[in-house]
């Protein structure tokens, strides 16, 4: 019996042949893993999408368990990203969690809490494998947040000062703004933009402070941080 990994290139080479090839779903490597499991562990996006869409025995491959009791979600929790992933611990952590979530929702729900031979679920394996990477990504995120916070404070300070420093000065007798007396519409438009900039800066400061002072969980890199992190 040929190693399972040798079938990957053949599966990608001929779509029609792969769709009808029953042997591909029953071929395993020395660890008892089929082609789809190996592709998931290697995090090869193109081959994963191809096997999920073209091979008729994908249900069988999704349900296989290797010799160590790992299902396909356990293998998706491995550390490492494909070469096409941009460099940086933060992006790598985000990509790994995204890959784990994608494979998880493509698999069967009863695998979500399945324990391997070591008594660990897939999520526990993910957290264990990515503990160091998560800490490095958390540190990087907080450093970026600190730098962005300085800029936000500067913008808020400038906008706050500009609200009380109206261009054109004030009329000496009445004390009214010269700009307000001569250009009403432009004055209110200016105040609107200054207030909007001040509000946006304050909102950004609050978001950045929450990133700086909160402790991150592994799954935060899937949705919360990609939307809030200053990258």
């Amino acid at each position: 019996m040929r190693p399972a990994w040798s079938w990957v290139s053949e599966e990608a080479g001929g779509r029609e042949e792969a769709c009808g090839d029953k042997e591909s779903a029953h071929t395993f490597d020395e660890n008892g893993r089929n082609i789809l499991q190996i592709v998931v562990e290697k995090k090869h996006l193109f081959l994963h999408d191809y096997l999920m869409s073209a091979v008729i025995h994908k249900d069988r491959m999704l349900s296989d368990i290797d010799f160590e009791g790992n299902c396909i979600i356990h293998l998706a929790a491995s550390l490492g990203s494909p070469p096409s992933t941009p460099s940086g611990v933060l992006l790598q952590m985000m990509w790994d969690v995204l890959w784990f979530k994608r494979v998880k929702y493509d698999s069967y729900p009863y695998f979500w809490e399945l324990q391997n031979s070591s008594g660990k679920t897939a999520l526990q394996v993910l957290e264990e494998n990515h503990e160091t990477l998560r800490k490095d990504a958390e540190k990087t995120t907080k450093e970026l947040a600190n730098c962005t916070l300085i800029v936000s404070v500067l913008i808020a300070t400038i906008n706050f000062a500009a609200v009380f420093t109206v261009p054109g000065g004030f009329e000496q007798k009445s004390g009214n703004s010269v700009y307000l007396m001569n250009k009403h519409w432009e004055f209110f438009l200016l105040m609107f933009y200054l207030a909007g900039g001040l509000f946006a800066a304050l909102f950004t400061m609050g978001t950045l402070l929450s990133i700086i002072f909160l402790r991150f969980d592994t799954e935060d890199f899937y949705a919360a941080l990609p939307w809030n992190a200053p990258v």
Side-chain angles (χ1 to χ4, degrees):
M1 182 178 294
R2 285 181 291 176
W5 185 248
S6 66
W7 282 86
V8 174
S9 59
E10 298 178 14
E11 294 288 346
R15 182 181 180 88
E16 295 181 358
E17 181 181 355
C19 291
D21 190 357
K22 296 182 179 180
E23 188 177 356
S24 61
H26 301 277
T27 305
F28 305 90
D29 67 358
E30 64 277 5
N31 297 315
R33 298 169 184 171
N34 59 43
I35 300 174
L36 184 59
Q37 290 175 322
I38 297 174
V39 167
V40 166
E41 185 180 23
K42 299 292 183 180
K43 301 185 178 180
H44 200 302
L45 179 61
F46 172 77
L47 288 178
H48 173 267
D49 291 344
Y50 173 78
L51 291 173
M52 290 295 294
S53 61
V55 179
I56 59 178
H57 299 286
K58 67 176 182 180
D59 292 335
R60 167 64 187 275
M61 292 190 289
L62 283 172
S63 61
D64 282 338
I65 305 294
D66 68 7
F67 295 154
E68 298 177 356
N70 295 313
C71 66
I72 194 169
I73 314 179
H74 287 94
L75 301 176
S78 61
L79 180 64
S81 301
S84 59
T85 305
S87 60
V89 292
L90 178 57
L91 294 177
Q92 181 181 351
M93 185 67 190
M94 290 166 54
W95 200 98
D96 281 4
V97 176
L98 178 62
W99 178 254
F100 176 81
K101 289 289 186 178
R102 176 171 183 174
V103 175
K104 175 182 177 180
Y105 292 126
D106 283 343
S107 63
Y108 300 111
Y110 63 84
F111 278 161
W112 296 1
E113 300 298 329
L114 180 69
Q115 296 181 349
N116 59 13
S117 301
S118 301
K120 298 177 182 178
T121 63
L123 181 59
Q124 291 174 332
V125 174
L126 176 71
E127 293 176 346
E128 180 180 301
N129 292 341
H130 291 77
E131 182 178 2
T132 302
L133 181 62
R134 181 191 60 79
K135 292 180 179 179
D136 293 340
E138 180 178 345
K139 179 181 178 181
T140 301
T141 303
K142 291 185 176 182
E143 290 176 352
L144 290 172
N146 279 322
C147 296
T148 311
L149 181 61
I150 296 175
V151 178
S152 299
V153 171
L154 179 61
I155 294 175
T157 303
I158 294 174
N159 281 273
F160 182 79
V163 171
F164 298 97
T165 310
V166 182
F170 297 91
E171 208 275 331
Q172 294 183 355
K173 294 183 179 180
S174 62
N176 295 327
S177 171
V178 176
Y179 198 77
L180 175 61
M181 295 173 60
N182 298 327
K183 298 181 179 180
H184 297 278
W185 170 249
E186 289 82 353
F187 176 80
F188 288 112
L189 189 63
L190 174 63
M191 291 296 105
F192 173 79
Y193 283 118
L194 290 176
L198 179 60
F199 174 79
L202 293 175
F203 179 80
T204 303
M205 289 169 57
T207 303
L208 294 173
L209 287 173
S210 66
I211 292 177
I212 292 173
F213 291 109
L214 292 180
R215 184 181 181 276
F216 302 151
D217 292 326
T218 301
E219 295 193 353
D220 288 337
F221 291 90
Y222 171 64
L225 287 177
W227 284 103
N228 294 327
V231 295

